[in-house]
Amino acid sequence: EIEIMKTGAALALIGSAAAFAPAQTGKASTQLNAFEGELGSQPPLGFFDPLGLLDDADQERFDRLRYVEIKHGRIAMLAFLGQITTRGGLHLGGNIDYSGDSFDSFPNGIAALIGPDSIPTAGLVQIIALIGLLECGFM
């Protein structure tokens, strides 16, 4: 009986040691092995494209999307800096239009777009048109 108990204890010890051994895993396989070596591809995910934007894409499409992603990230950082700058009370001097409205007469944040003291609709249309022109024409 003691022999069976010792054998059972030895088997339990071997089984529990296997729980701490490193698991052997193969390389993650994705459909986009062509972009596995790109900057930002890292284990365990490899190249991560959850929306499938690069299914059957070539290097030119990948480079374009990478460029657009970096550009929009930089624009978002500038927008954040603009937000905290105006929230801190620093505004451009002078008037924003010919009727005498100064830059600091408009509120900060979302209140500049909607609300009683917001930028006039014609001003918003000009801002959106400029952004569209820059996006389509120059960037």
Side-chain angles (χ1 to χ4, degrees), residues 7-31:
T7 305
L11 289 175
L13 185 62
I14 291 171
S16 65
F20 297 103
Q24 294 183 2
T25 59
K27 188 174 186 235
S29 64
T30 64
Q31 296 176 342

Side-chain angles (χ1 to χ4, degrees), residues 63-100:
D63 291 340
R64 170 72 180 145
L65 289 177
R66 172 73 51 103
Y67 168 77
V68 169
E69 180 182 15
I70 291 171
K71 177 185 69 168
H72 288 153
R74 290 175 178 163
I75 291 170
M77 287 186 273
L78 286 173
F80 175 75
L81 286 176
Q83 177 73 285
I84 63 172
T85 301
T86 57
R87 292 278 179 168
L90 183 63
H91 296 276
L92 295 173
N95 295 332
I96 196 169
D97 57 12
Y98 292 124
S99 65

Side-chain angles (χ1 to χ4, degrees), residues 50-138:
L51 298 178
L53 295 175
L54 292 172
D55 290 344
D56 301 325
D58 57 355
Q59 186 67 37
E60 182 181 347
R61 171 108 171 114
F62 175 82
D63 291 340
R64 170 72 180 145
L65 289 177
R66 172 73 51 103
Y67 168 77
V68 169
E69 180 182 15
I70 291 171
K71 177 185 69 168
H72 288 153
R74 290 175 178 163
I75 291 170
M77 287 186 273
L78 286 173
F80 175 75
L81 286 176
Q83 177 73 285
I84 63 172
T85 301
T86 57
R87 292 278 179 168
L90 183 63
H91 296 276
L92 295 173
N95 295 332
I96 196 169
D97 57 12
Y98 292 124
S99 65
D101 294 325
S102 64
F103 283 99
D104 59 355
S105 67
F106 295 105
N108 298 323
I110 194 71
L113 301 176
I114 56 175
D117 296 329
S118 64
I119 297 172
T121 305
L124 288 177
V125 169
Q126 290 175 13
I127 292 170
I128 293 170
L130 175 66
I131 292 170
L133 177 71
L134 291 173
E135 185 74 28
C136 294
F138 298 106

